[in-house]
Amino acid sequence: MLRFSLILLLAITFVSAGCGYSSHNYMGGNGMPAVTQLSPNSTPAGGPAFTLTVDGTGFGTDALVYWGTSPRTTTYVSASKVTASITETDIMNAGMVPVYVHTSGANSNAMTFTIQ
């Protein structure tokens, strides 16, 4: 019985070792997404709609730019650049808005966009 238990334990160990996510990179070799720059990074309150350019790394074709907690219409440019449509309503009031990218099931760091 002890020998069977030992064999079963070893079998479970070998099978589960190959099932972990740590041995796979699901970001297509890019690692976790990261935002490095917003352009522009500020705008006057009450201004016109504009296109926000988000530079960084690890963006996939499924990338979505989040303006605060809401996704915005996003265009994938490359693994290091996406753009998002920011509406007049988004910038009606002065304040700070966190901007991040969600791609391949992961969120990037957030950068702050300033509405003056």
Side-chain angles (χ1 to χ4, degrees), residues 95-110:
M96 296 181 169
V97 180
V99 175
Y100 68 94
V101 175
H102 179 83
T103 186
S104 302
N107 292 335
S108 72
N109 59 302

Side-chain angles (χ1 to χ4, degrees), residues 4 6-7 11 20 24 30 53-54 59 62 67 69-70 75 80 83 85 92 97 99 102 105 107 114 116:
F4 175 74
L6 182 57
I7 291 171
H24 303 285
N30 294 328
T53 300
V54 181
F59 302 152
D62 66 339
W67 180 263
T69 59
S70 301
T75 301
S80 61
T83 62
S85 298
M92 284 178 53
V97 180
V99 175
H102 179 83
N107 292 335
T114 304
Q116 303 163 334

Side-chain angles (χ1 to χ4, degrees), residues 1 15-16 25 31 40-42 50 54-55 77 81-82 87 89-91 100 104 107 116:
M1 185 69 167
V15 169
S16 64
N25 184 345
N41 62 6
S42 67
F50 64 95
V54 181
D55 292 314
V77 178
K81 184 178 297 223
V82 292
T87 67
T89 304
D90 290 333
I91 58 171
Y100 68 94
S104 302
N107 292 335
Q116 303 163 334

